[in-house]
Amino acid sequence: MTDIKKIATRESYGNALKELGEEFPDLVVLDADLAAATKTGTFRKAYPDRHIDCGIAECNMMGVAAGLSLVGKIPFVSSFAMFAAGRAFEQVRNSIGYPHLNVKIGATHAGITVGEDGASHQCNEDIALMRTIPGMVVMCPADDVEAKAAVRAALEHEGPVYIRFGRAAVPVINDRPDYKFEIGKGAVLREGSDVTVVATGICVDSALGAAELLAAEGVSAEVINICTIKPLDEDIIVNSAKKTGKVVTVEEHSVIGGLGSAVCDCLCAKLPTPVKKLGMQDVFGESGSASALVQKYGLDAEGVYKSVREFLK
Amino acid sequence: MNNLELQKHANDVRKGIVTSVHSAKAGHPGGSLSAADVFTYLYFEEMNIDPKNPDKEDRDRFVLSKGHTAPGLYAALANRGFFPVEDLKTLRKLGSYLQGHPSIHIPGVDMSSGSLGQGISAAVGMALGAKMSGKDFRVYTLLGDGEIQEGQVWEAAMLAGHRKLDNLCVIVDNNNLQIDGPIDQVCSPYPIDKKFEAFNFHVVNADAHDFDALRAAFKEARDTKGMPTCLVLHSVKGKGVSFMENNVGWHGKAPNDEEYAEAMAELDKIEAELEKAGEA
C-alpha cells in the first residue's frame, strides 16, 4: 500500500475548534485538566480567554457549560469519553439534555484504542449512554475529514450534540472533492450485493479493508459509513438490507446499545433482517497497543473479514 | 419596597405553596416555606427582572439548585406576575406546565433543576459567561443545607472562587433538616460558613426570616468585589405553618384537606394582622 495519511480524530477536533474560533465568536471550550490530551490546547493557545479549565471536575464542567449556553455562549466540553459520558452522565442528562441546551460534548479517547491505559479508561459504553437521552445528537467520525465536518455541523446545529473522537491515528478515507457532511446522513462508501457492512468511527476503515478481502473471494460487500448514530439514517440501512438481506455492524464499542443496537432497532421495525453485531462482546478491554487490541477483539480488516465470512456461511 | 409589603408578599407566597402542594397531593412544603422569604426578597426587591419580558437579556438570573422547593419558586413567580396565581393549583398535574421540579420552559425559570448539586454549576456557568461577555447582570442560586453534601457543589464552589465570580451569590437555606433527619446527625456539613470561606467566598450569616437582615446581606453581596458571596440563611423548615415548623415529616408531604384548612387559617390570620399593621 502507498503511504496513507493518518491522523487521530482528537487532533482533528482540536484543529477544527481553532479554525472555527474566528467564525464562531461565541464558541468557548471547557476542559477538565486534559487540554493537552483532548487537543483543545490548540484552541487555548489561539483563544486563551475563551478556554476554561474547570480542573478535574467533569460533573461541574457539564453544569458550567449548561450555564454558559444560557447566556449566549456555544460551549464545547472536552474530556475523555469515560468521564464525559460515563462519570458525568446524569449531569449531561439533567443539566444539558432535559433543558435541551446548546452544549456540544467533544469526547476523546473513546473505545479500546485508548490502548495502554487499559480498561478503566477505555469507554465502550458512551454511544449507548448518550443515545438514550432525548434530543441528543450522537456522532462518531471515521477520520480527519469527517471529524472536522462533524465539529462544524455541531456548531451549526441548535441543541445538544455528543461527538466521539479517538486517541490513535487513523487513515484519512474521506479526502475527496465531492465529500459532503450532513447530520443524520450515512454514506455508501462501497456498493455491494451479498452483505451490508455498517460501520462507524475507526471501524469504517476496517470495514473497507474487509470488503477488499471478501471481494477477492467473490463476496460483494456493501460498506456504509454511519457517522451520526442518532438520528440514524434509517433509509440508507433499510435500502441496503433490502438488497443484500444480511447486515453486519462494526463498532469500537460494546455491542450492547451502540451502532449495532441502533441498526437492529431500525431493522426490527422496518425490515426484519439477520444482523451480526461486531464490537466489544460484553467484555472490558485491557492494556495493550491500540493496534494489538483492535486485532485481538476482531475489529481490524482481517477480523471483520473473518466474522463476515463466518456469518455468510 | 418596605418590610410590611415584603411580609405581605411572603405570606401570599406561603399561601401559594400550601395551596399548590395540597392541590397536587404531593410536593415539598417544608423547604419551600423555609425559603419563602428569600424567594420573596429576590423576586420583589433584589433582582432585576421583568415579568412582562421574562427572557430579557440583561436580567439577573436565578437557579433553584434545591429544585424540589419548586412550589416556593412558582408561588413567588406567580405572585410577581410571571403567570396566573390560579395556575399554581395545576402543580404536578398531567398536562400542566408547572412540573414537579423547575423546568426551563416555565416563564421566569432560568434553568431546569431538581437533581441536587447541579443548579449551582449552571449558575457558575452563567456568572462566568457574563464576565466573559462583559455583561453586568448578577446570578443567584439557592441551595439546601442537605444539598451541599453533594460533591458537585464543592466542585462548583472551587471554580467560582478560583474565577473570582463576584457577580455570583450562592444562598444556602440552612433549615437544619433533611429527609433522614437533622443534617448534623445524617452527615454534618457544618461549619457551612467556614467551608465556603475556605473555597474563597465572602460569607454572610443572616436570619432567613428577617427582611432587614436579608436586605443587609444582599447589599453586602453586591458590594463584595473580587470574590463570590455565600449567604448562609438560618431558617426554620416549614416556617409560617405552625404544625409544619421544624418537623421533618413535612419535607415532602402534602397536607390533607383538614391540614390544608388549618394551614390556610393560620396564614389568613397573619394576613389580617399585616393588613391591620398597614392601616395603623
Side-chain angles (χ1 to χ4, degrees), chain A residues 74 100 102 104 135 137 152-161 183:
Chain A
I74 311 175
H100 198 71
N102 197 26
K104 321 301 170 185
V137 169
R152 169 178 280 281
L155 279 170
E156 289 169 348
H157 174 85
E158 179 74 29
V161 177
I183 288 176

Side-chain angles (χ1 to χ4, degrees), chain A residues 23-310:
Chain A
E23 191 182 332
F24 294 88
D26 292 327
L27 165 64
V28 295
V29 175
L30 290 83
D31 260 287
D33 196 39
L34 289 169
T38 62
K39 298 297 171 189
T40 57
T42 314
F43 179 89
R44 178 173 61 187
K45 209 171 155 194
Y47 302 99
D49 296 341
R50 287 158 59 187
H51 182 275
I52 303 150
D53 203 323
C54 295
I56 310 167
E58 297 81 8
C59 298
N60 176 55
M61 177 165 68
M62 292 301 169
V64 169
L68 285 162
S69 78
L70 285 166
V71 295
K73 302 293 181 191
I74 311 175
F76 243 106
V77 194
S78 308
S79 186
F80 291 181
M82 191 74 253
F83 315 126
R87 186 191 197 97
F89 171 76
E90 204 245 26
Q91 282 74 12
V92 174
R93 190 237 186 233
N94 272 327
S95 285
I96 296 170
Y98 174 47
H100 198 71
L101 298 182
N102 197 26
V103 173
K104 321 301 170 185
I105 301 163
T108 66
H109 295 64
I112 51 171
T113 50
V114 164
E116 293 80 354
D117 275 351
S120 61
H121 286 57
Q122 293 167 353
C123 188
N124 297 317
E125 305 85 10
D126 55 326
I127 296 173
L129 288 164
M130 290 296 113
R131 62 185 277 266
T132 61
I133 299 174
M136 179 69 76
V137 169
V138 181
M139 294 194 273
C140 177
D143 71 348
D144 180 55
V145 174
E146 195 163 76
K148 285 177 159 176
V151 172
R152 169 178 280 281
L155 279 170
E156 289 169 348
H157 174 85
E158 179 74 29
V161 177
Y162 178 86
I163 316 182
R164 176 184 223 240
F165 303 104
R167 171 175 182 256
V170 291
V172 178
I173 55 177
N174 286 304
D175 194 8
R176 53 179 190 274
D178 63 337
Y179 177 78
K180 268 198 202 119
F181 183 86
E182 198 182 323
I183 288 176
K185 288 277 178 235
V188 175
L189 297 185
R190 180 184 176 120
E191 292 196 2
S193 53
D194 298 327
V195 62
T196 302
V197 183
V198 185
T200 191
I202 64 157
C203 294
V204 175
D205 185 57
S206 312
L208 287 168
E212 279 290 323
L213 295 170
L214 289 162
E217 292 181 0
V219 176
S220 167
E222 178 145 299
V223 177
I224 296 176
N225 171 19
I226 291 291
C227 176
T228 315
I229 293 156
K230 187 184 176 185
L232 187 68
D233 186 343
E234 298 195 333
D235 289 346
I236 205 169
I237 288 160
V238 169
N239 288 338
S240 184
K242 252 181 214 160
K243 187 166 64 170
T244 64
K246 286 193 174 67
V247 175
V248 175
T249 60
V250 199
E251 62 197 305
E252 186 201 8
H253 184 275
S254 170
V255 291
I256 300 171
L259 170 75
S261 294
V263 167
C264 286
D265 289 350
C266 159
L267 290 174
C268 266
K270 299 199 162 171
L271 184 76
T273 306
V275 177
K276 171 81 181 168
K277 295 191 287 183
L278 307 184
M280 296 300 283
Q281 304 293 334
D282 199 17
V283 290
F284 289 106
E286 61 193 287
S287 288
S289 71
S291 59
L293 287 164
V294 165
Q295 191 180 9
K296 170 166 179 177
Y297 290 98
L299 298 174
D300 59 347
E302 182 73 22
V304 173
Y305 154 74
K306 281 184 187 160
S307 294
V308 173
R309 211 176 48 170
E310 182 70 19

Side-chain angles (χ1 to χ4, degrees), chain B residues 75-190:
Chain B
L77 288 171
N79 278 287
R80 186 68 176 82
F82 281 88
F83 49 82
V85 172
E86 195 55 26
D87 287 3
L88 292 174
K89 287 183 182 162
T90 69
L91 174 72
R92 287 180 171 241
K93 292 194 194 302
L94 187 65
S96 170
Y97 61 99
L98 296 179
Q99 294 292 298
H101 290 82
S103 152
I104 201 163
H105 306 296
I106 298 169
V109 173
D110 291 318
M111 176 62 183
S112 303
S113 59
S115 177
L116 296 179
Q118 295 192 29
I120 183 176
S121 296
V124 168
M126 291 173 181
L128 189 55
K131 288 266 176 200
M132 291 171 89
S133 305
K135 293 175 183 165
D136 60 4
F137 61 79
R138 290 179 61 74
V139 182
Y140 299 83
T141 181
L142 178 64
L143 285 77
D145 52 4
E147 177 182 8
I148 65 173
Q149 290 160 349
E150 288 282 4
Q152 186 177 346
V153 168
W154 303 103
E155 294 182 2
M158 195 183 297
L159 187 65
H162 173 70
R163 289 274 176 168
K164 302 180 168 47
L165 300 179
D166 52 18
N167 53 349
L168 175 72
C169 180
V170 171
I171 307 157
V172 179
D173 181 21
N174 186 195
N175 61 33
N176 199 49
L177 287 173
Q178 62 185 123
I179 299 175
D180 282 352
I183 60 169
D184 52 352
Q185 286 176 30
V186 174
C187 179
S188 179
Y190 293 120

Side-chain angles (χ1 to χ4, degrees), chain B residues 26-278:
Chain B
H28 298 82
S32 296
L33 290 166
S34 68
D37 296 309
V38 72
F39 282 130
T40 302
Y41 191 81
L42 283 166
Y43 281 93
F44 285 87
E45 186 74 1
E46 174 70 12
M47 291 200 298
N48 168 27
I49 39 115
D50 179 3
K52 289 192 184 67
N53 186 10
D55 298 326
K56 73 168 180 166
E57 249 189 86
D58 68 340
R59 72 189 186 279
D60 290 337
R61 265 70 169 180
F62 176 72
V63 182
L64 182 58
S65 204
K66 54 172 224 161
H68 56 284
T69 61
L73 173 63
Y74 297 168
L77 288 171
N79 278 287
R80 186 68 176 82
F82 281 88
F83 49 82
V85 172
E86 195 55 26
D87 287 3
L88 292 174
K89 287 183 182 162
T90 69
L91 174 72
R92 287 180 171 241
K93 292 194 194 302
L94 187 65
S96 170
Y97 61 99
L98 296 179
Q99 294 292 298
H101 290 82
S103 152
I104 201 163
H105 306 296
I106 298 169
V109 173
D110 291 318
M111 176 62 183
S112 303
S113 59
S115 177
L116 296 179
Q118 295 192 29
I120 183 176
S121 296
V124 168
M126 291 173 181
L128 189 55
K131 288 266 176 200
M132 291 171 89
S133 305
K135 293 175 183 165
D136 60 4
F137 61 79
R138 290 179 61 74
V139 182
Y140 299 83
T141 181
L142 178 64
L143 285 77
D145 52 4
E147 177 182 8
I148 65 173
Q149 290 160 349
E150 288 282 4
Q152 186 177 346
V153 168
W154 303 103
E155 294 182 2
M158 195 183 297
L159 187 65
H162 173 70
R163 289 274 176 168
K164 302 180 168 47
L165 300 179
D166 52 18
N167 53 349
L168 175 72
C169 180
V170 171
I171 307 157
V172 179
D173 181 21
N174 186 195
N175 61 33
N176 199 49
L177 287 173
Q178 62 185 123
I179 299 175
D180 282 352
I183 60 169
D184 52 352
Q185 286 176 30
V186 174
C187 179
S188 179
Y190 293 120
I192 298 170
D193 47 6
K194 295 272 187 298
K195 284 195 175 64
F196 276 97
E197 270 169 23
F199 282 78
N200 297 313
F201 275 64
H202 176 66
V203 181
V204 182
N205 283 283
D207 181 340
H209 308 304
D210 173 346
F211 283 112
D212 282 333
L214 290 177
R215 203 181 297 276
F218 279 106
K219 181 178 186 313
E220 193 170 328
R222 257 181 286 119
D223 290 345
T224 300
K225 301 297 169 203
M227 60 193 341
T229 295
C230 173
L231 307 184
V232 182
L233 300 184
H234 304 277
S235 65
V236 173
K237 196 151 185 162
K239 175 76 177 177
V241 176
S242 62
F243 59 90
M244 291 186 185
E245 287 188 2
N246 281 318
N247 182 345
V248 76
W250 288 101
H251 171 88
K253 189 177 84 169
N256 61 27
D257 292 348
E258 233 168 64
E259 291 159 339
Y260 170 66
E262 193 181 335
M264 289 302 277
E266 286 188 19
L267 294 168
D268 283 339
K269 198 176 151 204
I270 293 171
E271 186 174 302
E273 284 165 11
L274 290 170
E275 288 296 336
K276 214 168 156 189

